Amino acid sequence: MNREWLVLADLPSPTDLQNQINKAYEVKNLKKIWSLTFRGRQLSKAKAFLRLRMLFMIFGSDAVLKDKLFDNGNLVEFFKEFPVSDERVWAFEICFGTNPNLLSMKEKIRDIFKQASP
């Protein structure tokens, strides 16, 4: 497999770009890397893994503090101090949808942790 989509990449030079495009990857190696990264070949596991990582995009290191995340006051204060912007908007909408309430956010956080556990 080669990576023609890299034509959109911003690499240091046209030569670097062409070298990257021409570099071939065996699909069996990509399958192995996928399995190692996402703890299996199932798409559902990969989605759960990525959603868990998105919680870190949204909450930073607070994502590991479940007690803090499940407290309405803490969530309100967190979003006052760190409003959702830039890349975090994308992660927030993937995890919670648009305009979620605190109860639905806590339910989705709980689901994300449950689905991502081994």
Side-chain angles (χ1 to χ4, degrees), residues 32-78:
K32 180 180 177 182
I33 292 168
W34 175 281
S35 293
L36 291 172
T37 302
F38 299 118
R39 296 187 223 148
R41 289 188 174 178
Q42 296 172 330
L43 185 57
S44 61
K45 286 186 178 192
K47 286 180 179 181
F49 176 85
L50 291 174
R51 282 195 179 102
L52 182 62
R53 297 308 175 257
M54 286 179 204
L55 287 183
F56 284 91
M57 288 179 70
I58 298 165
F59 296 108
S61 60
D62 287 350
V64 297
L65 304 174
K66 292 180 186 178
D67 291 340
K68 188 171 184 177
L69 294 179
F70 293 130
D71 182 292
N72 287 354
N74 288 337
L75 283 177
V76 169
E77 288 303 314
F78 178 85

Side-chain angles (χ1 to χ4, degrees), residues 3 14 35 44 63 79 96 99 110 112-113:
R3 302 171 305 155
S35 293
S44 61
F79 288 119
F96 306 118
N99 301 317
R110 191 172 291 114
I112 290 168
F113 279 118

Side-chain angles (χ1 to χ4, degrees), residues 12-30:
S13 73
T15 304
D16 290 333
L17 175 62
Q18 196 57 51
N19 288 340
Q20 286 296 321
I21 289 173
N22 292 340
K23 190 175 181 180
Y25 289 88
E26 291 188 34
V27 173
K28 73 178 184 176
N29 290 338
L30 294 175

Side-chain angles (χ1 to χ4, degrees), residues 90-108:
W90 172 80
F92 186 89
E93 289 179 353
I94 294 291
C95 289
F96 306 118
T98 54
N99 301 317
N101 61 45
L102 293 177
L103 179 61
S104 70
M105 284 180 62
K106 291 188 296 186
E107 289 173 5
K108 289 182 180 184

